[in-house]
Amino acid sequence: MPASTQHVEIDSGLIAKFNQSGPRYTSYPTADRFSGSYGFGSYLEGVAGLRARGGLAPLSLYIHIPFCQSICYYCACNKVITKDRSKAETYLDYLKQEVAMQGRLFAGMNRVEQLHFGGGTPTYLSDEQMDDLLAHLHQWFEFAPDAEGEYSIEIDPRTVDVARIYKLREQGFNRISMGVQDFDPDVQIAVNRVQSEADTRAVIAASRAAGFRSVSIDLIYGLPRQTLCTMEQTLAKVIDCSPDRISIYSYAHMPHLFKPQRRINEDEMPDSATKLDMLALCIKRLTDAGYVYIGMDHFAKPNDELAVAQRLGRLHRNFQGYSTRSETNLVACGVSAISSLGSSYSQNEKTLDAYYERIDEGKLPVARGLQLDNDDLLRRIIIQRLMCNFELSMQSIEQAWPIRFSSYFAPELARLKSFVDDGLVDIDNEWLTVTPKGRLLVRNICMVFDSYLASKPAIGPIPLRYSKTI
Ligand code: SF4
């Protein structure tokens, strides 16, 4: 049985000791390990491999819409800021060509049980554009009925009204997530994302009334002008809105990587001790309000599918964060989108020009990727289990893989000793368990099993590539 996740303890001394930059492990190996030697041909081989094995696993589809109307200064997403709607028209032309190519490839093994629209801002598209794109998706893929499928969309409450929310439900979406970040007007000005509380509340209320099965809110802590007091007020309002899921991300200030962040006034940012207090406040307020701590930065109501999946040991982690479906292959369409098929990952071209150019050549726009070897697959399972369940049965790994855990992972177990000594991890004959004190540092614990960090440095030193784990 997975460990109870209700409980997480904050020990600021230990967090300061272990808190270093590290991956978020939405995949293992992480996307910065993808190589240009994996291309279109490798992807075709991957799909052929799935077909040879029967190709019956359901699919997840991810659709990336990169456009936004204005820039949020904290943003680290791959997006295009434009008010020129014709750019979206051109993009949709190409995106539909990619969908058709993928649809042909997956013919006969194309049942979709999960669809996610992310961005950017998917609601940058008009109702008509969305209708057209969805009709095209339905032409090429077979979708599970509404009651069985998870069809989600990220919305920007500043770009939708109540009628649009009803329209999205009518278009088949049954889960909705929205960026709030902070309700405080001063913080909103500091990050150039002014979004009235009334509008956000109206969108949440409309989502419920329209029949969305899960409403999710994103918050960020560590933004300029945030204080414990503003955070307390924002949390009270969020709890009052009663979303099914809440994500609270730590703002990672990396202006050397993300240009918009250069417009953030560093003097107005909370220091790391205050940030930790903010995180502690979030955890306390949300768990007191009945939310379950899922892991990393996610909370959910106890009856939400995410919390239920975790209790059943069926939680999974993919490029969109935590997920309830473990056995699906992820087909991702759109600029920069990342697919995960069987034992491979592939990423599309990251710029619109390169993306269009590849499709004009009549090819899927795969730019890079990775074919996992046996060691990658083994470590991927271990990191998944730790990220999702906070524990790992070493015996179950030995039953599934021809290894003796204590020998194969002897260096890792030695490195874990300092975590054990500090009470962050317990290890007995069968289980490796992340304790309540270790849960906030689960990324650091997973890093011990990341062979690439130890032996094969990628582009740039670790602190420049990854965010701090807290
Ligand atoms: S945070 Fe979201 S809405 Fe803001 S610029 Fe980035 S992708 Fe666009």
Side-chain angles (χ1 to χ4, degrees):
M1 277 291 287
S4 159
T5 50
Q6 296 281 356
H7 198 42
V8 53
E9 273 174 39
I10 298 182
D11 182 324
S12 34
L14 287 177
I15 287 175
K17 176 176 171 184
F18 285 96
N19 189 15
Q20 63 177 111
S21 305
R24 298 177 58 78
Y25 292 117
T26 49
S27 71
Y28 179 81
T30 47
D32 54 348
R33 310 293 170 172
F34 296 177
S35 145
S37 62
Y38 184 106
F40 174 52
S42 322
Y43 186 84
L44 293 183
E45 280 172 27
V47 179
L50 290 182
R51 195 174 285 287
R53 290 192 293 280
L56 295 176
L59 297 180
S60 284
L61 262 185
Y62 173 75
I63 305 293
H64 190 76
I65 307 294
F67 303 103
C68 298
Q69 277 181 20
S70 59
I71 186 76
C72 310
Y73 294 160
Y74 54 81
C75 183
C77 301
N78 188 301
K79 75 277 166 191
V80 177
I81 308 294
T82 177
K83 290 190 169 27
D84 176 0
R85 300 275 160 173
S86 68
K87 290 203 172 165
E89 274 301 324
T90 309
Y91 182 72
L92 283 177
D93 280 348
Y94 281 94
L95 181 63
K96 282 163 64 180
Q97 291 180 54
E98 188 194 358
V99 167
M101 286 187 222
Q102 295 278 18
R104 272 184 220 107
L105 261 182
F106 281 87
M109 48 179 197
N110 61 359
R111 180 180 159 94
V112 174
E113 291 191 353
Q114 256 185 337
L115 169 70
H116 184 82
F117 268 63
T121 307
T123 44
Y124 186 92
L125 300 183
S126 67
D127 284 346
E128 295 70 31
Q129 288 170 327
M130 188 65 89
D131 274 337
D132 180 45
L133 178 55
L134 287 166
H136 191 74
L137 286 167
H138 280 265
Q139 181 186 334
W140 289 104
F141 291 89
E142 182 204 330
F143 285 77
D146 181 70
E148 291 168 31
E150 289 183 9
Y151 304 131
S152 61
I153 184 163
E154 295 168 13
I155 63 156
D156 178 345
R158 297 171 301 167
T159 64
V160 297
D161 57 14
V162 167
R164 181 79 195 263
I165 297 291
Y166 277 85
K167 178 73 182 168
L168 290 169
R169 182 70 188 98
E170 200 183 295
Q171 285 169 326
F173 294 102
N174 54 27
R175 282 156 180 74
I176 197 162
S177 67
M178 62 195 78
V180 172
Q181 324 314 354
D182 194 309
F183 275 121
D184 187 88
D186 237 20
V187 176
Q188 293 186 354
I189 290 168
V191 297
N192 198 40
R193 188 186 171 110
V194 175
Q195 176 177 323
S196 84
E197 183 185 333
D199 284 353
T200 303
R201 283 182 182 269
V203 166
I204 294 171
S207 304
R208 291 248 159 64
F212 280 90
R213 290 210 286 280
S214 177
V215 177
S216 170
I217 279 184
D218 292 348
L219 303 174
I220 301 180
Y221 69 95
L223 293 175
R225 300 189 197 169
Q226 266 179 343
T227 63
L228 281 170
C229 182
T230 64
M231 198 50 134
E232 172 72 50
Q233 287 167 357
T234 288
L235 286 168
K237 288 172 183 172
V238 167
I239 290 166
D240 186 50
C241 292
S242 192
D244 303 283
R245 297 177 190 176
I246 301 168
S247 306
I248 303 188
Y249 299 106
S250 166
Y251 170 57
H253 190 59
M254 299 196 284
H256 56 284
L257 290 182
F258 307 111
K259 225 169 156 188
Q261 296 186 351
R262 293 178 200 163
R263 295 164 83 171
I264 285 202
N265 182 349
E266 293 181 0
D267 296 337
E268 293 183 332
M269 286 171 54
D271 60 25
S272 51
T274 311
K275 256 184 100 174
L276 189 54
D277 289 342
M278 286 177 177
L279 176 62
L281 179 69
C282 292
I283 292 171
K284 168 136 188 44
R285 291 288 276 118
L286 294 178
T287 49
D288 284 355
Y291 285 90
V292 177
Y293 175 68
I294 299 291
M296 287 283 293
D297 358 58
H298 290 66
F299 297 80
K301 286 185 174 173
N303 57 353
D304 183 86
E305 284 166 337
L306 223 47
V308 173
Q310 187 174 55
R311 281 200 293 280
L312 297 175
R314 291 188 190 148
L315 197 64
H316 188 66
R317 200 159 160 76
N318 66 19
F319 293 103
Q320 279 82 59
Y322 287 101
S323 158
T324 57
R325 313 276 162 129
S326 60
E327 298 307 325
T328 51
N329 290 302
L330 172 67
V331 176
C333 298
V335 65
S336 77
I338 303 179
S339 299
S340 167
L341 295 186
S343 57
S344 68
Y345 296 119
S346 59
Q347 181 167 32
N348 279 350
E349 295 286 358
K350 285 185 180 174
T351 66
L352 287 179
D353 285 346
Y355 176 74
Y356 296 160
E357 206 176 299
R358 289 294 188 101
I359 292 175
D360 279 337
E361 288 167 6
K363 291 180 183 162
L364 280 173
V366 176
R368 60 191 68 79
L370 191 68
Q371 182 62 50
L372 279 66
D373 63 21
N374 281 341
D375 181 71
D376 293 330
L377 291 168
L378 172 57
R379 289 171 190 272
R380 174 163 83 169
I381 286 184
I382 289 171
I383 288 175
Q384 277 271 352
R385 300 239 170 111
L386 289 172
M387 292 294 291
C388 295
N389 298 334
F390 295 118
E391 65 183 5
L392 169 78
S393 160
M394 294 177 283
Q395 282 179 14
S396 75
I397 295 290
E398 289 180 344
Q399 280 156 13
W401 294 78
I403 62 157
R404 189 175 323 127
F405 197 98
S406 58
S407 315
Y408 193 94
F409 289 112
E412 286 77 4
L413 290 169
R415 283 209 293 281
L416 278 176
K417 190 161 179 323
S418 64
F419 291 85
V420 173
D421 291 345
D422 280 317
L424 302 173
V425 173
D426 282 335
I427 300 179
D428 62 22
N429 284 339
E430 178 171 6
W431 292 96
L432 193 163
T433 308
V434 181
T435 66
K437 246 199 271 184
R439 288 180 183 178
L440 286 177
L441 291 162
V442 67
R443 283 162 79 178
N444 305 72
I445 294 161
C446 290
M447 284 163 71
V448 170
F449 289 95
D450 185 334
S451 69
Y452 292 81
L453 286 181
S455 60
K456 304 170 207 165
I459 327 118
I462 292 172
L464 292 180
R465 281 196 326 274
Y466 302 126
S467 59
K468 275 273 175 74
T469 48
I470 302 289

mmCIF file of all heavy atoms in Angstrom, residues 67-68 70-72 74-77 79 81 119-121 156 158 181 193, ligand 1:
data_model
loop_
_atom_site.group_PDB
_atom_site.id
_atom_site.type_symbol
_atom_site.label_atom_id
_atom_site.label_comp_id
_atom_site.label_asym_id
_atom_site.label_seq_id
_atom_site.Cartn_x
_atom_site.Cartn_y
_atom_site.Cartn_z
ATOM 1 N N PHE A 67 0.040 30.482 -28.145
ATOM 2 C CA PHE A 67 -0.161 31.943 -28.173
ATOM 3 C C PHE A 67 -0.716 32.495 -26.859
ATOM 4 O O PHE A 67 -1.522 31.849 -26.196
ATOM 5 C CB PHE A 67 -1.108 32.309 -29.320
ATOM 6 C CG PHE A 67 -0.598 31.831 -30.645
ATOM 7 C CD1 PHE A 67 -1.133 30.709 -31.248
ATOM 8 C CD2 PHE A 67 0.462 32.481 -31.262
ATOM 9 C CE1 PHE A 67 -0.637 30.235 -32.452
ATOM 10 C CE2 PHE A 67 0.971 32.006 -32.469
ATOM 11 C CZ PHE A 67 0.415 30.894 -33.066
ATOM 12 N N CYS A 68 -0.277 33.707 -26.537
ATOM 13 C CA CYS A 68 -0.831 34.473 -25.399
ATOM 14 C C CYS A 68 -0.974 35.916 -25.847
ATOM 15 O O CYS A 68 -0.208 36.382 -26.695
ATOM 16 C CB CYS A 68 0.113 34.446 -24.196
ATOM 17 S SG CYS A 68 0.406 32.809 -23.540
ATOM 18 N N SER A 70 -0.719 38.615 -23.757
ATOM 19 C CA SER A 70 0.245 39.501 -23.093
ATOM 20 C C SER A 70 1.175 38.639 -22.252
ATOM 21 O O SER A 70 0.875 37.483 -21.967
ATOM 22 C CB SER A 70 -0.484 40.525 -22.225
ATOM 23 O OG SER A 70 -1.252 39.849 -21.254
ATOM 24 N N ILE A 71 2.275 39.240 -21.863
ATOM 25 C CA ILE A 71 3.298 38.458 -21.164
ATOM 26 C C ILE A 71 3.145 38.562 -19.641
ATOM 27 O O ILE A 71 2.917 39.639 -19.111
ATOM 28 C CB ILE A 71 4.720 38.938 -21.594
ATOM 29 C CG1 ILE A 71 5.800 38.050 -20.992
ATOM 30 C CG2 ILE A 71 4.974 40.382 -21.222
ATOM 31 C CD1 ILE A 71 5.929 36.743 -21.654
ATOM 32 N N CYS A 72 3.224 37.430 -18.971
ATOM 33 C CA CYS A 72 3.315 37.423 -17.508
ATOM 34 C C CYS A 72 4.814 37.342 -17.201
ATOM 35 O O CYS A 72 5.491 36.458 -17.735
ATOM 36 C CB CYS A 72 2.609 36.216 -16.919
ATOM 37 S SG CYS A 72 0.930 35.975 -17.538
ATOM 38 N N TYR A 74 6.689 36.288 -14.904
ATOM 39 C CA TYR A 74 7.301 35.110 -14.278
ATOM 40 C C TYR A 74 7.384 33.934 -15.255
ATOM 41 O O TYR A 74 7.977 32.908 -14.958
ATOM 42 C CB TYR A 74 6.473 34.664 -13.047
ATOM 43 C CG TYR A 74 5.029 34.430 -13.376
ATOM 44 C CD1 TYR A 74 4.603 33.254 -13.959
ATOM 45 C CD2 TYR A 74 4.080 35.431 -13.151
ATOM 46 C CE1 TYR A 74 3.286 33.050 -14.317
ATOM 47 C CE2 TYR A 74 2.752 35.254 -13.499
ATOM 48 C CZ TYR A 74 2.365 34.058 -14.081
ATOM 49 O OH TYR A 74 1.064 33.875 -14.446
ATOM 50 N N CYS A 75 6.810 34.076 -16.442
ATOM 51 C CA CYS A 75 6.553 32.927 -17.309
ATOM 52 C C CYS A 75 7.833 32.221 -17.794
ATOM 53 O O CYS A 75 8.780 32.856 -18.233
ATOM 54 C CB CYS A 75 5.744 33.365 -18.524
ATOM 55 S SG CYS A 75 5.330 31.974 -19.583
ATOM 56 N N ALA A 76 7.792 30.898 -17.738
ATOM 57 C CA ALA A 76 8.903 30.087 -18.244
ATOM 58 C C ALA A 76 8.408 29.103 -19.302
ATOM 59 O O ALA A 76 9.085 28.126 -19.609
ATOM 60 C CB ALA A 76 9.548 29.332 -17.080
ATOM 61 N N CYS A 77 7.194 29.364 -19.833
ATOM 62 C CA CYS A 77 6.626 28.439 -20.829
ATOM 63 C C CYS A 77 7.133 28.767 -22.224
ATOM 64 O O CYS A 77 7.602 29.868 -22.482
ATOM 65 C CB CYS A 77 5.098 28.547 -20.868
ATOM 66 S SG CYS A 77 4.323 28.183 -19.312
ATOM 67 N N LYS A 79 6.025 30.016 -25.375
ATOM 68 C CA LYS A 79 4.824 30.699 -25.870
ATOM 69 C C LYS A 79 5.197 31.790 -26.851
ATOM 70 O O LYS A 79 6.364 32.185 -26.971
ATOM 71 C CB LYS A 79 3.997 31.296 -24.721
ATOM 72 C CG LYS A 79 4.566 32.559 -24.095
ATOM 73 C CD LYS A 79 5.601 32.261 -23.089
ATOM 74 C CE LYS A 79 6.414 33.461 -22.708
ATOM 75 N NZ LYS A 79 7.578 33.122 -21.918
ATOM 76 N N ILE A 81 3.882 35.635 -27.825
ATOM 77 C CA ILE A 81 2.988 36.729 -27.425
ATOM 78 C C ILE A 81 2.591 37.491 -28.683
ATOM 79 O O ILE A 81 3.455 38.035 -29.388
ATOM 80 C CB ILE A 81 3.702 37.695 -26.447
ATOM 81 C CG1 ILE A 81 4.321 36.925 -25.270
ATOM 82 C CG2 ILE A 81 2.740 38.790 -25.958
ATOM 83 C CD1 ILE A 81 3.367 36.268 -24.345
ATOM 84 N N GLY A 119 -0.650 25.273 -23.015
ATOM 85 C CA GLY A 119 -0.007 26.352 -23.775
ATOM 86 C C GLY A 119 1.087 27.024 -22.995
ATOM 87 O O GLY A 119 1.661 26.423 -22.092
ATOM 88 N N GLY A 120 1.303 28.317 -23.288
ATOM 89 C CA GLY A 120 0.442 29.245 -23.972
ATOM 90 C C GLY A 120 -0.944 29.354 -23.337
ATOM 91 O O GLY A 120 -1.176 29.021 -22.194
ATOM 92 N N THR A 121 -1.857 29.777 -24.168
ATOM 93 C CA THR A 121 -3.243 29.953 -23.734
ATOM 94 C C THR A 121 -4.157 29.275 -24.757
ATOM 95 O O THR A 121 -4.451 29.866 -25.807
ATOM 96 C CB THR A 121 -3.597 31.465 -23.651
ATOM 97 O OG1 THR A 121 -2.637 32.121 -22.840
ATOM 98 C CG2 THR A 121 -4.977 31.678 -23.079
ATOM 99 N N ASP A 156 -7.140 30.775 -19.384
ATOM 100 C CA ASP A 156 -6.733 32.015 -18.742
ATOM 101 C C ASP A 156 -8.029 32.759 -18.465
ATOM 102 O O ASP A 156 -8.710 33.179 -19.414
ATOM 103 C CB ASP A 156 -5.831 32.801 -19.712
ATOM 104 C CG ASP A 156 -5.399 34.127 -19.131
ATOM 105 O OD1 ASP A 156 -6.010 34.567 -18.125
ATOM 106 O OD2 ASP A 156 -4.462 34.732 -19.681
ATOM 107 N N ARG A 158 -8.747 35.549 -17.873
ATOM 108 C CA ARG A 158 -8.838 36.882 -18.480
ATOM 109 C C ARG A 158 -9.324 36.806 -19.924
ATOM 110 O O ARG A 158 -9.643 37.819 -20.527
ATOM 111 C CB ARG A 158 -7.461 37.577 -18.448
ATOM 112 C CG ARG A 158 -6.944 37.824 -17.035
ATOM 113 C CD ARG A 158 -5.505 38.293 -17.080
ATOM 114 N NE ARG A 158 -4.616 37.327 -17.727
ATOM 115 C CZ ARG A 158 -3.378 37.577 -18.110
ATOM 116 N NH1 ARG A 158 -2.873 38.771 -17.912
ATOM 117 N NH2 ARG A 158 -2.649 36.631 -18.690
ATOM 118 N N GLN A 181 -2.467 32.396 -9.691
ATOM 119 C CA GLN A 181 -1.143 32.813 -9.187
ATOM 120 C C GLN A 181 -1.251 33.544 -7.856
ATOM 121 O O GLN A 181 -0.667 33.165 -6.881
ATOM 122 C CB GLN A 181 -0.348 33.654 -10.199
ATOM 123 C CG GLN A 181 -0.503 33.292 -11.679
ATOM 124 C CD GLN A 181 -0.416 31.818 -12.031
ATOM 125 O OE1 GLN A 181 -0.121 31.000 -11.177
ATOM 126 N NE2 GLN A 181 -0.696 31.456 -13.267
ATOM 127 N N ARG A 193 0.078 40.567 -14.586
ATOM 128 C CA ARG A 193 -1.051 39.664 -14.827
ATOM 129 C C ARG A 193 -2.207 40.135 -13.941
ATOM 130 O O ARG A 193 -2.452 39.589 -12.858
ATOM 131 C CB ARG A 193 -0.671 38.228 -14.495
ATOM 132 C CG ARG A 193 -1.770 37.255 -14.914
ATOM 133 C CD ARG A 193 -1.487 35.839 -14.478
ATOM 134 N NE ARG A 193 -2.657 35.022 -14.716
ATOM 135 C CZ ARG A 193 -2.739 34.074 -15.655
ATOM 136 N NH1 ARG A 193 -1.722 33.788 -16.408
ATOM 137 N NH2 ARG A 193 -3.861 33.389 -15.796
HETATM 138 S S1 SF4 B 1 2.032 32.448 -17.756
HETATM 139 FE FE1 SF4 B 1 0.563 31.508 -19.177
HETATM 140 S S2 SF4 B 1 -0.670 33.253 -19.875
HETATM 141 FE FE2 SF4 B 1 1.164 34.138 -18.948
HETATM 142 S S3 SF4 B 1 2.599 34.405 -20.666
HETATM 143 FE FE3 SF4 B 1 3.047 32.414 -19.769
HETATM 144 S S4 SF4 B 1 1.848 30.934 -20.928
HETATM 145 FE FE4 SF4 B 1 1.018 32.978 -21.359
#
